[in-house]
Amino acid sequence: MDKPLKTPPPYPIASVDHALRAATMLQMEGGATVSQVAERLGVARSTAHRLLAMLVYRDFAVHGEDRVYRAGPVLELAAHSQSLVSRLRAAALPHLHRVVTLLDETTNLIVRTGDTARFIASVECRQALRVGSREGMVFPAHRTTAGLLLLADLTDEELDDVYAPERYRDRPSERPDLARLRTELKRLRRNGFAVNKERSERGLIAVGVPVRDRDGTALAGLSVSMPGVRYEPRRLQALVATLEAAAHALEDDLSDGT
């Protein structure tokens, strides 16, 4: 079995983790106040203020006259996508919370960028044994539930471009077997959902469905993650039905907001 893709360091530094998460918030969502950062990180306002001040000092953030911190020059590479990501996240959070209430398992919203999948929102359940928040994390798209669903929305030509050999010249071992991947994606298109059994992380099971725009294009993936010991295959249909209901409700909200 492959080793886990995201293994926490043996000696984590909380302040570094908080700073990185704050920077991710600014990059993906367009801006945040000290209070918003403090609430999201679960820290005091004074701590959030110091973190943001350091990000400003290192050009990871800028501080506007409206007291909102935004992505600085270092994080502006993805500025073109901030609007959509911010809108997706804001619209999705109430639905993620509702799914957690119904299933009592951690729920996520994921988007795809090239061959990677990024978790833009994550709501943890309250069970003692649970999958922690993946918000801000990036994984290979073909190794995640939502990433596979979003890849399944591509044409053969688009998939060839994403996994063109020249893109993997310096990391050939990371390029998936395209023939096998195409077979899997064909099955996902037929089923309309995906199940990830320890593919991205050891001991983790995830089930996901796509979130589409009014034209039917997959914008994101909505997934629920749980420890493998708690997954029951006989519940799969109910899990998918709950996720699909939340995805459709989110699609309606996105449509109303355009």
Side-chain angles (χ1 to χ4, degrees):
M1 181 182 295
D2 293 336
K3 65 181 181 180
L5 297 179
K6 295 288 185 181
T7 302
Y11 303 104
I13 302 174
S15 60
V16 174
D17 185 49
H18 286 154
L20 293 174
R21 289 178 61 193
T24 299
M25 286 171 57
L26 301 183
Q27 185 186 48
M28 293 195 303
E29 300 167 34
T33 63
V34 171
S35 297
Q36 290 170 332
V37 171
E39 180 179 359
R40 289 276 292 282
L41 298 181
V43 299
R45 278 176 51 89
S46 58
T47 300
H49 186 271
R50 290 195 297 271
L51 289 170
L52 290 165
M54 184 55 67
L55 292 180
V56 170
Y57 176 68
R58 293 297 183 184
D59 291 326
F60 281 78
V62 292
H63 191 199
E65 294 182 0
D66 56 359
R67 298 187 179 182
V68 174
Y69 289 82
R70 295 180 175 84
V74 176
L75 300 179
E76 285 180 347
L77 296 177
H80 67 281
S81 65
Q82 286 181 358
S83 177
L84 176 59
V85 169
S86 179
R87 190 162 62 90
L88 270 171
R89 186 180 187 282
L93 277 174
H95 301 288
L96 266 60
H97 281 286
R98 195 168 298 115
V99 172
V100 172
T101 298
L102 292 171
L103 301 179
D104 202 15
E105 299 291 357
T106 299
T107 307
N108 312 286
L109 187 74
I110 303 97
V111 296
R112 181 186 66 84
T113 302
D115 63 353
T116 64
R118 169 171 283 193
F119 287 66
I120 65 171
S122 187
V123 177
E124 291 187 21
C125 67
R126 295 189 177 184
Q127 301 203 58
L129 177 62
R130 64 181 182 273
V131 176
S133 172
R134 297 295 186 264
E135 187 169 306
M137 287 188 174
V138 177
F139 293 83
H142 70 284
R143 301 290 296 275
T144 70
T145 308
L148 286 168
L149 289 166
L150 296 170
L151 290 172
D153 205 53
L154 300 179
T155 64
D156 286 342
E157 292 75 17
E158 290 170 333
L159 192 68
D160 285 337
D161 182 61
V162 169
Y163 292 107
E166 57 267 24
R167 295 176 180 270
Y168 290 82
R169 191 171 291 117
D170 299 326
R171 48 190 179 110
S173 63
E174 297 180 19
R175 184 172 181 260
D177 182 321
L178 279 194
R180 183 179 300 175
L181 181 59
R182 290 185 198 281
T183 299
E184 183 171 18
L185 296 181
K186 182 178 180 179
R187 176 172 52 81
L188 294 185
R189 293 188 197 102
R190 184 172 62 250
N191 293 342
F193 65 89
V195 180
N196 179 344
K197 297 181 178 180
E198 300 189 323
R199 188 166 182 164
S200 56
E201 294 186 63
R202 193 171 295 146
L204 182 153
I205 305 293
V207 179
V209 301
V211 176
R212 301 185 181 278
D213 63 16
R214 62 176 61 186
D215 297 321
T217 301
L219 295 175
L222 181 64
S223 71
V224 61
S225 305
M226 67 196 74
V229 294
R230 203 155 58 233
Y231 175 68
E232 299 178 17
R234 62 183 177 83
R235 293 184 58 211
L236 178 59
Q237 186 174 356
L239 291 173
V240 171
T242 299
L243 289 171
E244 287 182 336
H248 293 328
L250 172 54
E251 290 166 353
D252 289 341
D253 286 351
L254 291 170
S255 179
D256 291 342
T258 57

